[in-house]
Amino acid sequence: MAFNLLAIDNVPGDFMGYAVIAAVALSLGTLFQLFQRHIAGEPLIPAELRRIVPWNAVAPLVLLAPLLIALATSALSGGSESLPGEPETTLTAGATAAALTSSGLPAGSESLAAAIAGSAISNAFYGIDSSTMIAAMWGQAAMTLTLAAACFALLVLAFRANRTDLGLPADAAQFFADVQLGARMWAASLVPIYAIMVALNFALEPTDQHPIIERLMKDHSIGVMLAAAFTAVVAAPLYEELAFRLVLQGWLERADMLLGSPEAVEPPAVIVAVAADEAAASTVAAAAATPPTLSLPERVLPYVPLPTQWLPIAVSATLFGLAHWGHGVSPVPLILLGAILGYAYQRTHRIVPCITCHVLFNGFTFVLLALEFGARN
């Protein structure tokens, strides 16, 4: 989930103007620092040791199946107008459709189930009943967080993923360093992404926008704003980064590594340190006595890809953007955001920087929305 700043008024008030000016200045300053690093020959984000993730194609298919089924059913039945076009909302409709089908609808009636689910969700988002809207948003957020938890459980139980595989920080210091990295990514992305949005909006003049923003324009009471903020700023970034970066891109990097065998660097001393908290530490220590090769068990051997694996980044970023189809021109700049997030994950193989950047991206827009609504009132 990612919002379009151009869905709000051009002159929403002094506070919004100051916030935008400050954000632009911060973004340009961060981009200048990154340009200096590039000129000096330093990497924008240093590559770190990682393992090939243990999961195969089953993990991304299971995690994204409800979304893919709902999108495919909507496209084939021509019922796209019944779904608001948000990945989590579409996924919720897909899961609801599956429940309806399994609870008594005749065989072959998946399209009817999807229509029923889509209609219910559409009524909740666009109807006039605020209480229904609030309940629908909290329900969507709960399902999104449940799916994220189920994702972690699937990876741990089915594929024996460990902390490193799951992209989690080793300690508090690494966590705060990852948060800082995500904040820098967000700052650097603001001007490029919204410059593309501005250009495309002026060139194409789209009539549709983000479904939650459309609903908030009609009803921005405290209850609705809180529910929408939690859904957009907390639940959605967590699920989307797990789905598109950790699971999907992680598997694509695995496939690219095993099929293409890019160069790898495996310093023996660092290998032992990285694996110190894993059950395989003794195996790694023994392997470090000899020059490691890719024939070693893939989960035991950390590696640093040289050069950067761009194909997995491009595929996951493109799918991330297309998942927001129906939000005006948003899919195009969101592909760029997906590439930035994917690059950070590929270099660090940790998910906290990506979640932080995504949270700040959505949160910044929500702050501007709140400022606008405050100015109106």
Side-chain angles (χ1 to χ4, degrees):
M1 176 183 289
F3 288 140
N4 184 343
L5 279 180
L6 296 179
I8 55 183
D9 294 343
N10 291 330
V11 188
D14 292 341
F15 286 109
M16 175 176 284
Y18 296 148
V20 171
I21 292 173
V24 170
L26 177 63
S27 183
L28 292 177
T30 305
L31 289 172
F32 180 71
Q33 291 179 345
L34 293 176
F35 180 72
Q36 287 182 314
R37 290 179 63 91
H38 176 71
I39 293 298
E42 301 176 4
L44 301 182
I45 302 177
E48 300 184 29
L49 285 167
R50 81 285 314 278
R51 308 178 197 280
I52 297 177
V53 298
W55 50 88
N56 53 32
V58 173
L61 286 177
V62 169
L63 187 60
L64 296 174
L67 172 61
L68 297 176
I69 292 172
L71 290 175
T73 302
S74 178
L76 292 175
S77 64
S80 59
E81 69 279 356
S82 65
L83 296 176
E86 181 59 43
E88 293 74 32
T89 304
T90 308
L91 194 150
T92 303
T96 306
L100 289 172
T101 302
S102 64
S103 62
L105 287 176
S109 59
E110 290 84 357
S111 296
L112 175 59
I116 295 173
S119 177
I121 294 172
S122 179
N123 289 337
F125 272 82
Y126 298 109
I128 59 175
D129 188 348
S130 295
S131 61
T132 302
M133 174 66 174
I134 295 172
M137 283 187 170
W138 284 114
Q140 177 181 322
M143 174 168 284
T144 302
L145 294 177
T146 300
L147 287 168
C151 169
F152 276 116
L154 170 69
L155 298 182
V156 172
L157 298 177
F159 300 100
R160 298 182 179 179
N162 55 37
R163 176 194 58 77
T164 304
D165 299 327
L166 297 175
L168 301 177
D171 50 36
Q174 191 172 73
F175 171 80
F176 287 114
D178 285 348
V179 170
Q180 291 177 359
L181 174 59
R184 290 196 299 270
M185 291 161 49
W186 165 74
S189 68
L190 283 176
V191 166
I193 289 174
Y194 287 117
I196 295 174
M197 282 189 176
V198 169
L200 291 177
N201 271 278
F202 276 108
L204 303 178
E205 298 183 355
T207 57
D208 54 350
Q209 60 185 9
H210 196 287
I212 290 183
I213 291 182
E214 289 180 348
R215 186 61 177 84
L216 290 178
M217 289 296 182
K218 299 177 181 179
D219 182 0
H220 44 270
S221 62
I222 296 297
V224 172
M225 288 291 290
L226 288 176
F230 185 83
T231 301
V233 181
V234 178
L238 179 60
Y239 168 76
E240 290 184 3
E241 294 313 307
L242 291 178
F244 289 99
R245 247 61 64 184
L246 178 66
V247 176
L248 177 60
Q249 185 175 319
W251 170 71
L252 290 172
E253 289 181 12
R254 168 193 170 99
D256 184 55
M257 182 71 180
L258 296 180
L259 295 177
S261 295
E263 298 180 33
V265 177
E266 309 94 0
V270 180
I271 291 178
V272 177
V274 170
D277 64 340
E278 309 295 345
S282 59
T283 304
V284 174
T290 59
T293 65
L294 292 179
S295 62
L296 289 175
E298 59 191 46
R299 288 191 62 211
V300 174
L301 176 62
Y303 72 98
V304 174
L306 299 173
T308 301
Q309 295 171 278
W310 288 109
L311 182 59
I313 296 174
V315 173
S316 64
T318 301
L319 293 177
F320 172 71
L322 293 178
H324 295 81
W325 192 265
H327 299 177
V329 301
S330 292
V332 177
L334 291 184
I335 290 176
L336 174 59
L337 177 61
I340 295 172
L341 297 169
Y343 178 74
Y345 174 74
Q346 202 279 326
R347 301 296 281 179
T348 65
H349 246 225
R350 291 193 300 276
I351 203 67
V352 172
C354 305
I355 295 175
T356 301
C357 179
H358 202 151
V359 165
L360 290 175
F361 192 88
N362 285 5
F364 175 69
T365 303
F366 226 90
V367 168
L368 295 184
L369 280 173
L371 290 175
E372 179 192 5
F373 297 148
R376 285 183 177 184
N377 296 334

